[in-house]
Amino acid sequence: MPQHRPLTPAAPWVEVVATDEDWDAADPQLLRTFYAQLVWIRAFEQYVLDLAGAGLIHGPAHSSIGQEGGAVGSVLALTSEDSVNGSHRGHHQFLAKALHHVEPKGMDPLAPPSDDVRDVLLRTLAEIAGLDRGWSHGRGGSMHLQWKEAGAMGTNAIVGGGVPQAAGFAFAHQRSGTDAVSVTYFGDGAVNIGSTLETMNLAGAWALPVCFFIENNRYAVSTSVEEATAEPRLSARGMGFNLASWKVDGQDPLAVHLAMTEAVEHMRAGRGSTVVEVDTYRFFHQNGGFAGSAFGYRDKEEEKAWRLRDPLTITSAHLERLGLLGDGEADRALTQAKAVMEEIGDVLLEPVPDGKPGQRRIRAAEWPDPAWVDVGVRGDLSEMDDARVVAAEGHAVPVHDMKLVESIAAVLGRRMETDPGVIVMGEDVHRLNGGTNGATRGLSERFPDRVLGTPISENAFTGLACGVALDGRFTPVVEFMYADFMWVAADQLFNQVARARHMYGGDGAVPLVLRSKVAMGTGYGSQHSMDPAGIFATSAGWRIVAPSTPYDYVGLMNAALRCQDPVVVLEHVDLYNAVGPGPVDDLDFCLPVGKAAIRREGKDATILTYLGMVPFVLEAVEEFGQVDAEVIDLRWLDRASIDWDTIEASITKTNQVLIAEQGAVGTSYGGWLADEIHRRFFDLLDAPVRRVTGAEASPSISKVLERAAIAQKDEVIAELTEIARY
């Protein structure tokens, strides 16, 4: 018979219960601050629901009424230097952090609010209503609340979407040598999502000071936690990743505070990540002011039982027992807060002329200017003003023949020498003599603590890098082993990284560089061969560069690392070992943003191409010989950085355009580019824009089928033959 040996988790897992003795021993000022924060957050949330009921909130109103105890109890264990982020239901966490920032010594529930408190409430209400005076000028609304000065790094509408970024904030705190910590708030729905679990693993492996704060309110919309998982004690997730974990009554702010204080001490002492689960309850439905029982997934008895455990009721009862609130003072505090919210609302609202009694509307002056709609999608590139930018054409520094892959490690190494904030991360980048292709060769030996091999978890480490970029103290360089893996990290790349600057008001930088390898022609098949340029070009916020020579790689990577927008740097396997001109010893120049290179001058047709297709196009033009084509290497591919001046000058000469790329026609980069050229330069064209692309299908493993699926020299010659016929 086999032996069965019981196993025990390596991490502690405890439940914390606050007794009357704990309440008796607590600092009276802390307890009064508990109640003050609870009151202000409750009055605020109820006012938001009132406005939503009157049709004055455009979009959802995810109320946190009933859940305030967890937010207040946890935030009061933090400082302004600590970072928090949250989910779509994050008003209470945001307000708790903001109020604690402006009133760090505590609040009195009976005192009139300070001007700073009024400002927090006004700006938060304005943001939720989509108004210009809001934190992000109304762009973020209810689900995207950010005030970085207070350490409130942004709530998030994607369930689990903000969790990896919180690991990035913790990474930045740790790397900066501070004892600050990061807290990410999410619910029972997000606890089962891959990004959350990936991040728990990564944070645990790197011992990051991040707390995974689970608000177990028992329902993800209408699906109960018991339906969603076989282990409804959600803090048990911490055991799988060796994270110290606490479970606590979320309706009791002191119990939460005691557990959170222990968790924060654990993290500040450098002992790694933590999990805190609070059992709580949202009194209303997922969205709006109706109870869940109105939709049939909860019963009224359950709701009544939880209502009796309202955190305001629990807290006020203890304060009255301790003589910290007199008879009727708890109600007086709430009445005062409601009255102040009405006053604040009057700043934003006005009566509807000739409307019904009490009918109101948003004051016209409060709305953002519609002309501002696209401002802040990306930065203004003022960070390039003091850069050493060389001419776009030719070689501004001495060059010699070298492999492109050698230029990658060379320029990254140089930037890491001169900028201690550059961090390189990705799968196997620290091993195998420079990763799977040698692109980071020698860097881990020179910078062992800044070249970080990650677990296989693109969503987690991309989101972590996003958090690092939003923090602003470091510049992450992320490597994707293959471009196809962008789909695994699509939420972080397109919902988070690409949209963060614009979504949070247009002012915050997102300095992140993603290196993404294109591997067509290598026999790696359908899931390791895509050209992602067409996909990234549809995602406003990303800048895209495509170097085709070692010299270009150095100049473009330097520009990318200086840029305060996220930049994807595409690399083609065909070019890694191709020999071309590269700088002899000058690795500090930048090529200008938005400038293409004319690789061959001509008068009959303009060929626009990039990356690994450039040499195939040049070979095709020379071999065919019947069309004097001008070949333009685009270099910068995103909509904001296309070199329209060079393209227009060329089309003015040739009156014909051919766009040549290798990738599949369905995700083609050239599709949108051809459309834009037709719109911009229709009068200059003698014929519709022609295109060379790969096939509809992704490349297969078979050498013959793979070649049939991608474009190279022969496909360009075929199109040149058609041009020559006319």
Side-chain angles (χ1 to χ4, degrees), residues 4-85:
H4 292 78
R5 298 174 179 173
L7 299 176
T8 57
W13 182 28
V14 298
E15 183 171 8
V16 175
V17 178
T19 65
D20 284 352
E21 289 75 15
D22 294 312
W23 281 88
D24 295 346
D27 179 357
Q29 179 57 50
L30 174 67
L31 300 184
R32 289 181 70 84
T33 300
F34 280 164
Y35 193 66
Q37 282 229 5
L38 291 170
V39 161
W40 285 111
I41 294 170
R42 176 65 59 87
F44 180 92
E45 286 284 70
Q46 187 59 62
Y47 190 74
V48 169
L49 287 181
D50 292 344
L51 294 189
L56 294 169
I57 300 294
H58 183 65
H62 295 114
S63 165
S64 63
I65 290 177
Q67 299 185 200
E68 302 95 337
V72 171
S74 59
V75 163
L76 291 180
L78 305 176
T79 74
S80 292
E81 300 306 310
D82 299 316
S83 301
V84 305
N85 74 350

Side-chain angles (χ1 to χ4, degrees), residues 17-28 30-32 34-35 38 249 251-255 258 309-326 330:
V17 178
T19 65
D20 284 352
E21 289 75 15
D22 294 312
W23 281 88
D24 295 346
D27 179 357
L30 174 67
L31 300 184
R32 289 181 70 84
F34 280 164
Y35 193 66
L38 291 170
D249 178 4
Q251 305 305 87
D252 183 335
L254 180 60
L258 293 172
R309 304 201 65 256
D310 189 324
L312 274 76
T313 303
I314 289 173
T315 304
S316 63
H318 278 293
L319 267 62
E320 289 169 356
R321 179 179 63 82
L322 293 169
L324 298 176
L325 282 178

Side-chain angles (χ1 to χ4, degrees), residues 297-539:
Y297 62 89
R298 302 195 306 208
D299 62 60
K300 292 183 178 180
E301 287 303 311
E302 176 185 303
E303 292 173 340
K304 180 180 178 181
W306 278 97
R307 282 276 187 177
L308 294 174
R309 304 201 65 256
D310 189 324
L312 274 76
T313 303
I314 289 173
T315 304
S316 63
H318 278 293
L319 267 62
E320 289 169 356
R321 179 179 63 82
L322 293 169
L324 298 176
L325 282 178
D327 186 36
E329 287 186 334
D331 291 339
R332 183 152 61 87
L334 192 55
T335 299
Q336 173 185 244
K338 291 178 178 178
V340 170
M341 286 308 307
E342 290 289 346
E343 294 170 10
I344 288 171
D346 288 342
V347 176
L348 307 177
L349 306 172
E350 64 183 5
V352 174
D354 302 320
K356 298 177 181 178
Q359 189 177 11
R360 293 180 294 175
R361 67 181 184 185
I362 303 291
R363 296 182 188 274
E366 295 293 334
W367 292 109
D369 184 347
W372 197 64
V373 61
D374 288 333
V375 174
V377 167
R378 57 191 68 80
D380 61 5
L381 294 176
S382 58
E383 62 270 26
M384 302 299 294
D385 290 348
D386 60 349
R388 183 181 154 221
V389 179
V390 301
E393 297 290 343
H395 300 130
V397 303
V399 296
H400 63 164
D401 285 344
M402 66 186 302
K403 294 179 179 179
L404 187 140
V405 73
E406 295 170 345
S407 71
I408 300 174
V411 69
L412 286 177
R414 176 59 177 162
R415 293 285 66 79
M416 295 178 81
E417 283 178 2
T418 60
D419 183 354
V422 175
I423 306 289
V424 174
M425 64 181 71
E427 294 156 5
D428 297 307
V429 295
H430 62 321
R431 299 270 168 78
L432 306 177
N433 199 18
T436 53
N437 290 94
T440 53
R441 181 168 295 153
L443 297 185
S444 62
E445 291 79 14
R446 295 170 61 192
F447 311 100
D449 63 334
R450 292 165 56 199
V451 179
L452 307 175
T454 65
I456 298 175
S457 54
E458 279 81 7
N459 215 10
F461 67 74
T462 302
L464 182 146
C466 178
V468 172
L470 290 173
D471 175 90
R473 286 174 285 187
F474 299 91
T475 302
V477 179
V478 177
E479 177 183 303
F480 274 10
M481 196 177 290
Y482 292 92
D484 308 68
F485 299 172
M486 75 175 196
W487 296 118
V488 180
D491 172 47
Q492 293 302 320
L493 292 173
F494 304 124
N495 278 326
Q496 311 296 340
V497 176
R499 295 177 180 173
R501 179 192 279 268
H502 183 267
M503 183 171 70
Y504 290 126
D507 297 326
V510 190
L512 182 153
V513 173
L514 171 66
R515 295 180 42 242
S516 188
K517 181 171 72 181
V518 179
M520 292 177 192
T522 62
Y524 269 74
S526 296
Q527 295 175 333
H528 284 68
S529 303
M530 80 174 296
D531 174 357
I535 303 299
F536 276 97
T538 66
S539 182

Side-chain angles (χ1 to χ4, degrees), residues 68-203:
E68 302 95 337
V72 171
S74 59
V75 163
L76 291 180
L78 305 176
T79 74
S80 292
E81 300 306 310
D82 299 316
S83 301
V84 305
N85 74 350
S87 68
H88 58 285
R89 191 181 311 284
H91 300 170
H92 54 325
Q93 298 141 8
F94 177 84
L95 284 172
K97 193 69 165 72
L99 292 173
H100 189 37
H101 175 66
V102 299
E103 299 286 356
K105 295 181 180 180
M107 301 176 68
D108 189 293
L110 299 175
S114 67
D115 290 343
D116 287 338
V117 168
R118 283 180 175 269
D119 188 59
V120 165
L121 298 170
L122 175 59
R123 293 189 67 184
T124 307
L125 183 64
E127 185 60 42
I128 291 169
L131 307 181
D132 186 61
R133 111 172 38 225
W135 301 104
S136 300
H137 304 285
R139 281 183 178 159
S142 172
M143 297 187 288
H144 310 108
L145 295 168
Q146 183 191 70
W147 187 23
K148 291 175 70 173
E149 290 82 354
M153 304 299 288
T155 54
N156 204 290
I158 303 299
V159 176
V163 175
Q165 294 164 31
F169 308 146
F171 180 96
H173 292 322
Q174 187 183 71
R175 287 279 161 156
S176 297
T178 76
D179 70 349
V181 304
S182 172
V183 183
T184 182
Y185 294 89
F186 54 93
D188 46 281
V191 81
N192 301 313
I193 283 180
S195 59
T196 300
L197 299 172
E198 284 185 24
T199 307
M200 284 183 172
N201 180 69
L202 178 57

